[in-house]
């Protein structure tokens, strides 16, 4: 494939003024669900100050995901505050693929301690459900003093860190929760895992024409031989035909960035939540002539710009792109040729030649 230059935004890592900007959203309660509906900056509303700390778009997206899961499980606001306080302590509400020993994800959960497989833990929806399952199994969790319930779940070597974050966590919950609280479930209740599907207007749909015949793998298509690339691409392609819902991270519905997060999680690689954060993930690829399977391709999309792209797809190899297109098309396959003139950024989130980050983070069981 001939090299095709990508527009100036790709130049060595993006200007912080363009991609790292504070993107605030207008928010209002949804009349049917009571959830706060965001109108820009991603499902979490973009980078925002919360209790004198600036939280980036990925952290806000994950906070939103946690609240959505708690709401759908009909658990009280207290459960969301405890989960968010824990995420703030353990990862800064980031989806990490490293930590102390084998700790992973938002809550730094350990596969070796029965929290799930890496591919599950690295999806914030699964990780939140898992945290809540442990939380509601604690007798009297909803009335425990600050920090006690979190420590009982996490078994951290630093138990005093949770209580100071509960006020900030409560402030985050308030951004996404309107209307009455839910009652504490009876003993053994509240254990039904759910998918997070926030009630938000779509801001990440594609605006590329869908070519006739799109949807199937071309003859002779081969999956990547590299283990990580192959796992990510196979997962993404296997989701073709599933529904698009903005903010969806699987397993039944996805938005464009949620599909990228889940696909790379299947390969044991964490990527940030949300297009605004994924466009800074990994490192830049200079042009489409250097593409490898698994690379993330960014276009302006229906409501973005070249400076702030709002739609992402994955290069699957063999001239194919897989993406969660919009609410009408769902997850589809497209020809790379239909994307090349619109690509404004390419990011490689996992490189076979680059070792994984050194472990860090907190110690807990």
């Amino acid at each position: 494939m001939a090299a095709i230059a990508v527009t100036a935004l790709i130049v060595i890592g993006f200007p912080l003024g363009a991609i790292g900007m504070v993107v605030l959203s207008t928010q209002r309660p949804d009349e049917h669900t009571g959830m706060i509906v965001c109108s820009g900056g991603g499902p979490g509303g973009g980078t925002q100050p919360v209790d004198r700390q600036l939280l980036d778009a990925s952290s806000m997206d994950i906070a939103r995901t946690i609240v959505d899961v708690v709401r759908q499980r009909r658990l009280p606001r207290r459960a969301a505050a405890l989960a968010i306080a824990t995420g703030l302590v353990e990862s800064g509400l980031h989806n990490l693929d490293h930590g102390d020993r084998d700790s992973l994800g938002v809550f730094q959960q350990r596969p070796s301690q029965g929290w799930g497989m890496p591919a599950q833990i690295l999806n914030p929806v699964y990780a939140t459900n898992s945290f809540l399952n442990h939380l509601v199994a604690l007798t009297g969790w909803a009335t425990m003093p600050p920090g006690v319930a979190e420590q009982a779940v996490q078994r951290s070597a630093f138990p005093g860190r949770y209580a100071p974050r509960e006020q900030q966590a409560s402030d985050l919950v308030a951004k996404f929760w309107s209307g009455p609280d839910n009652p504490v479930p009876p003993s053994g209740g509240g254990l039904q895992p759910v998918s997070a599907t926030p009630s938000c207007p779509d801001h990440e749909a594609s605006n590329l024409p869908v070519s006739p015949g799109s949807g199937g793998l071309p003859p002779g298509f081969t999956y990547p031989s590299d283990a990580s690339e192959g796992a990510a691409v196979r997962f993404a392609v296997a989701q073709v035909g599933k529904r698009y819902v903005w903010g969806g991270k699987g397993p039944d519905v996805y938005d464009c960035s949620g599909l990228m997060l889940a696909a790379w999680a299947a390969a044991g690689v964490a990527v940030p939540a949300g297009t605004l954060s994924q466009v800074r993930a990994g490192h830049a690829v200079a042009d489409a002539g250097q593409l490898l399977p698994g690379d993330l391709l960014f276009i302006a999309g229906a409501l973005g710009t070249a400076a702030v792209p709002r739609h992402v797809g994955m290069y699957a190899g063999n001239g194919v792109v897989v993406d969660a297109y919009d609410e009408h098309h769902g997850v589809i396959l497209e020809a790379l040729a239909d994307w090349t003139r619109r690509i404004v950024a390419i990011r490689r989130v996992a490189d076979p030649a680059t070792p994984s980050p050194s472990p860090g983070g907190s110690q807990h069981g």
Side-chain angles (χ1 to χ4, degrees):
M1 179 178 62
I4 300 173
V6 179
T7 57
L9 178 63
I10 196 67
V11 177
I12 317 297
F14 311 103
L16 288 178
I19 300 299
M21 66 176 67
V22 175
V23 183
L24 300 178
S25 67
T26 303
Q27 299 179 322
R28 60 178 174 79
D30 180 86
E31 60 181 323
H32 301 295
T33 66
M35 290 294 293
I36 296 295
V37 178
C38 44
S39 61
T47 301
Q48 295 187 40
V50 181
D51 192 25
R52 301 185 299 280
Q53 179 184 1
L54 195 65
L55 296 181
D56 64 20
S58 181
S59 295
M60 295 298 295
D61 185 295
I62 288 172
R64 171 77 192 235
T65 295
I66 291 170
V67 174
D68 288 343
V69 171
V70 169
R71 290 277 311 213
Q72 290 179 53
R73 288 177 62 149
R74 303 188 181 216
L75 292 171
R77 291 172 65 127
R78 179 71 176 149
L82 295 172
I84 289 176
T86 301
L88 285 166
V89 167
E90 298 294 346
S91 68
L93 289 176
H94 289 106
N95 193 31
L96 302 180
D97 62 1
H98 60 283
D100 175 66
R101 290 170 283 186
D102 58 338
S103 299
L104 296 170
V106 176
F107 303 101
Q108 290 288 278
Q109 295 161 339
R110 298 182 60 194
S112 65
Q113 300 300 308
W115 287 92
M117 299 296 291
Q120 297 171 313
I121 294 171
L122 289 173
N123 188 314
V125 177
Y126 176 93
T128 300
N129 276 306
S130 187
F131 176 89
L132 293 172
N133 287 345
H134 285 75
L135 178 69
V136 300
L138 300 172
T139 301
W141 65 267
T143 56
M144 289 180 178
V148 174
E150 299 99 310
Q151 173 61 15
V153 171
Q154 297 292 107
R155 292 180 287 162
S156 172
F158 306 99
R161 299 182 306 165
Y162 300 114
R165 305 308 290 270
E166 286 197 15
Q167 183 57 57
Q168 185 181 19
S170 295
D171 292 345
L172 273 167
V173 174
K175 286 181 175 290
F176 303 122
W177 193 312
S178 179
D181 200 352
N182 293 320
V184 177
S187 178
L191 286 170
Q192 303 80 16
V194 296
S195 298
T197 52
S199 176
C200 286
D202 185 15
H203 286 264
E204 295 187 353
S206 180
N207 61 345
L208 296 178
V210 178
S211 299
S214 295
L217 292 172
F221 179 88
T222 57
Y223 286 99
S225 58
D226 177 78
S228 293
E229 293 173 358
V233 171
R234 284 181 183 275
F235 182 95
V237 171
Q239 309 315 304
V240 169
K242 291 190 176 180
R243 288 195 308 123
Y244 177 110
V245 174
W246 195 42
K249 297 176 177 63
D252 301 317
V253 298
Y254 297 93
D255 68 3
C256 64
S257 58
L259 178 63
M260 301 301 102
L261 183 153
W264 273 109
V269 176
V271 299
T275 305
L276 293 173
S277 300
Q278 289 178 6
V279 79
R280 300 192 305 274
H283 64 267
V285 176
D287 59 61
Q290 300 177 29
L291 281 174
L292 291 178
D295 285 348
L296 307 187
L297 312 178
F298 295 83
I299 61 174
L303 292 174
T305 65
V308 185
R310 296 304 301 270
H311 189 76
V312 59
M314 176 182 289
Y315 181 57
N318 301 94
V320 173
V321 177
V322 56
D323 70 311
Y325 185 96
D326 67 9
E327 293 173 345
H328 300 292
H329 295 84
V331 180
I332 64 173
L333 299 173
E334 299 181 85
L336 175 64
D338 293 339
W339 278 61
T340 48
R341 289 184 175 272
R342 303 283 190 92
I343 295 171
V344 298
I346 303 172
R347 305 297 291 190
R348 183 161 297 154
V349 298
D351 194 327
T354 303
S356 298
S358 300
S362 64
Q363 298 182 4
H364 63 86

